[in-house]
Amino acid sequence: TAETPMEVAMMQVNDDPVHPRDIVLDVPVGVSQIILKAMEKSPSDRFQSAHTMAKAIEWVLRNPDVIFAMNPNSAGEGAGKSSIVSIDMISTAEIEPYGDEEIASSLGKKASRKAGNGDGSGKKDSPNTASAGAKKKKKRKKVSRSMFPIIAGVAIPFFIVTIILAVLVITPAVESIFAQVDDSVEITYPDLTEKLYNDSLVNDLRNGKYGAKFVVDEIIYDRRDDVENNKIIATEPAGGHVSKISSGGQLHFSSITVNRSKKVFIPNVMGMAKTSVTTLLKNLELVCVFEEVTDNENPYFHNNQVIGTFPPEGSEMKVGDTVTVYVCSKNAADKTAKLPDLIGMTEADAIKYAKTYSGYEVVVEYVEMPDATNRVISQSLDPGTISPKGTIVNIQISIPQTALPSFIGLTPEEAQAMLIAAAPDKQISIVTTYYEARESDRGYLEAAINTFDPSLGMTLDTLLTTLGCTTTPLYDGASTVVYQSVPADSPITAELLEIEIVVIQYYADIVDPGVSEDPSLENSDINENSNTEGGFGG
């Protein structure tokens, strides 16, 4: 039972099943062992063939008190006895069928028939009688089409409800009649000593058999070996005491002292859970005290299973005596549960199942992949591993690759800051080259840069120099990036170590100082100067 289907599935993977004897006390230990072995988590720990399992079942039928050795090597010298034998015994002999007497003997019953025609005569059927019998059987197979079962199924619950309602209505009326008894009537208390205190006596007291309805306020238990168990030793008030009936129509025994020298026998509790043993011994009125026994090597008993008692099974005890119950302790707190298969889980689920449920410490590593799923792709320990509590398991989770941002239009400082923000764990350097160019050349320079293809064999420096750009060590602090060697949106991988960016500082075209841009200065002197050598026209 759990809150989510996933938790139920993980319990099926990691948790041990409830012991059969915790559910049905009478299940023989050998049968419980067969069931638990068939339900082992690992296929290699289960029965390796139907034949092997059948032989174990056959053995427990012939020897109901058998306790199997779960490890073939642990049967030892007692392997030949009926009380201890390897559960993995394999016989190459064919399993012989049981005879009727043998089956009845194994089940503790008398044989109901002998081999033969089934009537106990031991004679075989002749072909004719067999045919006649078959015809009789066929006649008996007539299907009933009566509506009586349907009508009865509807009517019976109706009558039951009617009776219950009648009781609920009538009972208060009857009680009110008793309550109206005249409180002036004096009643003599009955002498209950030497009577057995049981349900029958309690009902007689409550129902007015002794002249009035009596209620017992307290039961005091005493222990006397010379008095029969459950016999009343004394009452308060004692028998013969006279009292008036209270307004409620009841009289009270303030206490009844009962002898409890009952003797009980300690049952077989081996293999049961602590809670089940507590309930069982409490019902026998025995006091239960638990004592843990470290038994990590036992192949059969699990943590918190009972492995014995003191006094031992079958010992005679008196009610109220104390029984010490020995419980198997495998130091579960020092061990993790089995590590689940984490592959394919999200990070949150992997941490929950590995750390919260199984007791491992989890270290997460992120791996950038083109087809990332944001789920676990590897774990350092195999599924099913049990380790000391706190053991570290490393898991890798695939995450999408980081894309390179666009630096176009940014200053070099802004480009550097953006790269650090996008890939803080990557050691990528930016190499900046500064150029100067005339403002009038901006159009075709940017067009050339946008169509630049380094695979054609020309470097960008050659292209820009050819188009009239010159390199400069100076930077005006305002110009922006016009080119980056790695295109934007490219994945940032471990191999990406350097990015080249280009910044062009544009300057205005130089005007000849001999030429005035003011129209009012247009005169003959300027026109004459424009025709001389070294002038703007030249």
Side-chain angles (χ1 to χ4, degrees):
T1 301
E3 294 183 359
T4 66
M6 177 60 76
E7 292 179 26
V8 173
M10 293 308 302
M11 292 170 67
Q12 292 171 354
V13 171
N14 296 322
D15 295 357
D16 294 322
V18 176
H19 198 285
R21 287 171 63 86
D22 288 349
I23 302 173
V24 181
L25 180 62
D26 297 335
V27 174
V29 175
V31 174
S32 298
Q33 291 176 289
I34 292 173
I35 293 171
L36 293 174
K37 184 174 180 66
M39 296 173 67
E40 284 287 351
K41 308 295 184 188
S42 172
S44 62
D45 293 334
R46 302 175 198 150
F47 290 102
Q48 296 305 296
S49 68
H51 182 87
T52 305
M53 186 173 182
K55 293 300 289 183
I57 296 173
E58 178 187 29
W59 192 277
V60 85
L61 278 172
R62 297 178 189 272
N63 306 280
D65 296 329
V66 68
I67 297 179
F68 290 110
M70 303 303 287
N71 186 339
N73 299 323
S74 63
E77 59 185 12
K81 301 178 182 179
S82 64
S83 61
I84 180 167
V85 65
S86 171
I87 198 169
D88 292 310
M89 58 184 178
I90 300 176
S91 171
T92 55
E94 183 179 358
I95 299 177
E96 296 296 334
Y98 280 112
D100 292 334
E101 293 291 344
E102 193 173 12
I103 293 176
S105 175
S106 68
L107 299 176
K109 301 177 182 178
K110 293 182 180 180
S112 60
R113 64 181 177 84
K114 295 182 180 179
N117 62 359
D119 60 1
S121 65
K123 298 179 182 180
K124 294 184 177 180
D125 290 332
S126 66
N128 292 335
T129 58
S131 174
K135 290 179 180 178
K136 289 181 179 180
K137 289 182 179 179
K138 289 182 179 179
K139 290 181 180 180
R140 292 194 192 103
K141 292 183 179 178
K142 183 178 180 181
V143 179
S144 173
R145 300 186 182 276
S146 172
M147 293 295 289
F148 178 75
I150 299 175
I151 296 172
V154 175
I156 290 174
F158 172 77
F159 284 118
I160 291 174
V161 172
T162 303
I163 292 170
I164 292 173
L165 290 174
V167 171
L168 292 176
V169 172
I170 293 172
T171 300
V174 174
E175 289 183 349
S176 66
I177 293 174
F178 277 99
Q180 295 172 3
V181 176
D182 187 357
D183 61 3
S184 64
V185 177
E186 292 185 341
I187 299 295
T188 301
Y189 275 71
D191 183 5
L192 301 181
T193 56
E194 298 300 316
K195 292 184 178 295
L196 290 175
Y197 185 80
N198 51 32
D199 291 340
S200 177
L201 177 65
V202 172
N203 289 331
D204 290 343
L205 290 171
R206 290 176 177 174
N207 295 333
K209 182 178 179 180
Y210 293 97
K213 294 194 296 181
F214 288 91
V215 177
V216 180
D217 296 335
E218 181 183 10
I219 301 297
I220 301 174
Y221 292 112
D222 196 357
R223 298 180 63 176
R224 298 184 185 179
D225 292 336
D226 58 336
V227 179
E228 183 182 348
N229 186 62
N230 282 337
K231 270 196 174 181
I232 297 175
I233 301 172
T235 63
E236 181 60 40
H241 176 77
V242 178
S243 178
K244 291 182 179 181
I245 297 178
S246 66
S247 59
Q250 295 178 341
L251 291 174
H252 288 255
F253 279 103
S254 60
S255 66
I256 292 181
T257 304
V258 181
N259 182 51
R260 299 309 301 270
S261 59
K262 178 182 177 181
K263 295 179 180 179
V264 294
F265 296 91
I266 298 179
N268 177 18
V269 296
M270 185 172 63
M272 294 176 62
K274 289 175 64 175
T275 52
S276 301
V277 173
T278 302
T279 302
L280 177 62
L281 297 183
K282 182 179 180 181
N283 291 338
L284 294 175
E285 299 178 76
L286 294 172
V287 179
C288 181
V289 176
F290 290 101
E291 183 176 323
E292 292 188 348
V293 177
T294 302
D295 188 7
N296 293 322
E297 304 302 323
N298 193 304
Y300 171 57
F301 292 106
H302 298 290
N303 200 50
N304 288 328
Q305 279 190 311
V306 175
I307 61 177
T309 61
F310 181 81
E313 172 194 350
S315 299
E316 185 179 278
M317 307 284 287
K318 291 182 180 179
V319 293
D321 286 347
T322 300
V323 179
T324 301
V325 180
Y326 299 110
V327 180
C328 178
S329 174
K330 293 184 178 289
N331 297 324
D334 298 332
K335 296 280 188 180
T336 65
K338 292 180 179 178
L339 180 66
D341 186 353
L342 306 176
I343 305 300
M345 289 188 182
T346 63
E347 180 179 351
D349 282 346
I351 292 175
K352 179 170 68 173
Y353 289 111
K355 183 174 183 177
T356 307
Y357 294 165
S358 300
Y360 282 87
E361 293 297 327
V362 182
V363 175
V364 181
E365 179 185 353
Y366 301 99
V367 179
E368 294 184 354
M369 300 179 65
D371 53 349
T373 60
N374 290 311
R375 294 179 178 269
V376 178
I377 57 174
S378 71
Q379 61 188 82
S380 60
L381 299 176
D382 293 331
T385 301
I386 296 177
S387 309
K389 205 154 193 177
T391 298
I392 293 176
V393 56
N394 296 283
I395 62 173
Q396 290 185 327
I397 297 179
S398 65
I399 60 174
Q401 292 177 322
T402 304
L404 187 68
S406 173
F407 303 139
I408 305 301
L410 303 179
T411 65
E413 292 80 5
E414 291 172 340
Q416 183 68 47
M418 179 174 284
L419 179 62
I420 293 175
D425 56 337
K426 299 291 192 300
Q427 301 297 323
I428 304 174
S429 61
I430 292 182
V431 178
T432 306
T433 305
Y434 299 100
Y435 290 89
E436 288 183 334
R438 293 182 299 182
E439 180 66 34
S440 58
D441 296 337
R442 181 192 291 267
Y444 70 80
L445 283 175
E446 291 183 354
I449 292 172
N450 290 335
T451 59
F452 172 68
D453 186 355
S455 64
L456 298 178
M458 178 182 291
T459 65
L460 182 62
D461 179 70
T462 302
L463 174 64
L464 294 177
T465 303
T466 303
L467 294 176
C469 294
T470 57
T471 58
T472 176
L474 302 176
Y475 170 56
D476 62 9
S479 301
T480 57
V481 178
V482 296
Y483 172 81
Q484 60 188 76
S485 60
V486 180
D489 296 329
S490 299
I492 300 178
T493 62
E495 293 75 22
L496 183 59
L497 302 178
E498 184 178 275
I499 300 174
E500 297 178 5
I501 62 175
V502 172
V503 176
I504 298 179
Q505 299 180 137
Y506 292 99
Y507 57 88
D509 293 339
I510 299 175
V511 179
D512 193 316
V515 178
S516 173
E517 296 182 359
D518 188 348
S520 63
L521 297 179
E522 292 182 1
N523 51 42
S524 59
D525 293 335
I526 295 177
N527 290 331
E528 290 179 0
N529 290 334
S530 64
N531 294 325
T532 61
E533 185 178 352
F536 179 74

